[in-house]
Amino acid sequence: VSLNGLWKSNYAVASELIQHYPHLPQGYVILGKEYLMAGLKEEAKRPLEYAAALGSNDPRVYYLLGICHLSSAEIPEKYFKKALALEPEYFAPYDLLGQIALSRKDYTEALFYLQRSLELEHGWPGHYYSLLQAYFGLDRPQEAEALLEKARHNLKDEQDQIRRLEELYRKLERMD
């Protein structure tokens, strides 16, 4: 018997967990994540909210709820901050809080969250793009240039990303 024949989909695992352990949040978390990964944000909300109502202490529940509510004004921030209260070393909520602050042109707040996100996960190119925007928004081109050098070092195996960062840097420099 092959292992593949015995393996169940995450949806099937979630369904079984919910059926056999309806008062535990894990099945609802898996189900919500599966819906979200399928692009079904509205469908993901209900099981994730139920997992939260069951008292889940999994920071991913609140992070995923924040993702589900990204189109609302203030709701996602509440969820991302709850995720960070549960796990202060979780880089993803910092990144999205920084993105939200950038969208409001609150560059000081964006810088705070994005720098923390970069400290926790320096190998993800998205941090550098957002931080460049925050530094130029605060009229701090020297720090933007230092960040670009840091990116060249940390992302040395991703030349395409470095080239894109350099293009963004030049574009922001011209706008300044």
Side-chain angles (χ1 to χ4, degrees), residues 37-142:
M37 290 177 65
L40 304 169
K41 286 184 181 180
E42 288 304 313
E43 290 82 352
K45 286 178 187 177
R46 187 170 178 196
L48 291 169
E49 287 169 349
Y50 197 69
L54 287 173
S56 177
N57 285 326
D58 184 345
R60 293 173 304 161
V61 169
Y62 303 96
Y63 172 73
L64 295 173
L65 276 166
I67 298 269
C68 290
H69 289 279
L70 275 175
S71 60
S72 0
E74 297 172 10
I75 294 173
E77 291 182 70
K78 159 182 97 168
Y79 286 122
F80 295 143
K81 288 177 180 177
K82 172 74 174 181
L84 291 175
L86 292 169
E87 179 52 61
E89 302 298 307
Y90 189 12
F91 87 91
Y94 287 109
D95 180 63
L96 286 174
L97 284 166
Q99 298 297 329
I100 291 168
L102 265 181
S103 72
R104 289 192 313 255
K105 297 189 184 315
D106 185 342
Y107 300 114
T108 302
E109 183 178 345
L111 193 61
F112 168 78
Y113 287 120
L114 294 167
Q115 284 177 327
R116 183 67 179 130
S117 186
L118 180 64
E119 289 170 14
L120 295 170
E121 178 57 54
H122 64 268
W124 189 62
H127 299 312
Y128 298 99
Y129 290 98
S130 302
L131 274 167
L132 280 176
Q133 293 173 52
Y135 280 129
F136 274 100
L138 290 168
D139 195 28
R140 292 162 64 176
Q142 297 85 2

